[in-house]
Amino acid sequence: DTGVSQDPRHKITKRGQNVTFRCDPISEHNRLYWYRQTLGQGPEFLTYFQNEAQLEKSRLLSDRFSAERPKGSFSTLEIQRTEQGDSAMYLCASSVARASGPYNEQFFGPGTRLTVL
Amino acid sequence: GQQVMQIPQYQHVQEGEDFTTYCNSSTTLSNIQWYKQRPGGHPVFLIQLVKSGEVKKQKRLTFQFGEAKKNSSLHITATQTTDVGTYFCAGLRNSNYQLIWGAGTKLIIKP
C-alpha cells in the first residue's frame, strides 16, 4: 500500500499522560499536514510541514501539542499532559508542492483515534 | 477569523432524488476543494475549483465556484446508495497553506 499510513490506529490513555502519533506520507509528497476531527465536524487544521520545515501552526493549538518532521519524511505529533478534550480523530495528510499553479489535493491517512479517560 | 459555513448539516433523500450542499466563506478564497468521507473513513479528494464562476462535472456530480469566489456548491443528480457519506468543502486563502473546512453535509439515503 503506497498511501498515507498512521500509527497507532487507536490510542486509549489516561488524563495527564503523554501520547505520540506517527504519520508516514506518500513517499514523493513533500507537504504534510496534521488535522483533528471530532464527531460531526470537519477536519480542524493543526500544523503544516514542507519538507522538514514547520511552516504553519494553528493559533488555536495549545503548547501541549508539538509536531516534528526531522528528515522531511515521516512526522510525529506529540500531545503532552493529555486532557479529556483532546479526545478526537487525528488525521494526517500529504500532498505534492508545485512551484506554481493551483494548490494540490491532499491525501489522507486512516487517522489515529485518541480516547482520553 | 475566516470561516466556511456549510449547509445543510444533513440531507435525507430517497434513492434517485437529487442532493445539494452549499458553502459560503466570509472572505474571498483562492480556490476551493471538495472531499467525501464515508462513514468510518477518511476524507477523499473529489475536485478543486480555482477560477471565478467555474463549473466542473464528474458524472452525476456538478461543482460550482461563485463569481466572487466566496461560495461553492455540489449537486448530485439521481443519488445512489454509493453516494452515502459526508461531503466537505475546504477553502484556501491566498496568504497561507491552511485549508479552512466546512462542517460537512451528511447525505443519508432513506430506506
Side-chain angles (χ1 to χ4, degrees), chain A residues 31 33 35 37 40-45 48 50 55-56 58-59 91 102-111, chain B residues 1 9-10 31 33 35 37 40-45 48 50 88 92-93 95-104:
Chain A
R31 286 184 171 169
Y33 312 81
Y35 292 92
Q37 187 177 27
Q41 297 297 316
E44 175 192 5
F45 172 83
Y48 156 71
Q50 181 152 323
L55 296 186
E56 202 165 331
S58 171
R59 286 174 293 175
L91 293 164
Y103 189 79
N104 284 4
E105 67 187 271
Q106 296 184 13
F107 293 82
F108 282 81
Chain B
Q9 188 176 4
Y10 301 94
N31 62 47
Q33 298 179 358
Y35 290 79
Q37 187 171 23
H42 55 272
V44 175
F45 177 83
Q48 176 169 263
V50 179
F88 292 98
L92 186 72
R93 288 186 295 182
S95 57
N96 61 23
Y97 308 98
Q98 180 179 342
L99 278 177
I100 309 298
W101 291 69

Side-chain angles (χ1 to χ4, degrees), chain A residues 9-28:
Chain A
R9 296 290 304 275
H10 303 272
K11 179 70 178 179
I12 299 173
T13 191
K14 292 183 179 179
R15 189 175 53 187
Q17 297 295 306
N18 299 344
V19 294
T20 300
F21 308 142
R22 176 178 170 126
C23 171
D24 286 88
I26 294 171
S27 59
E28 63 269 24

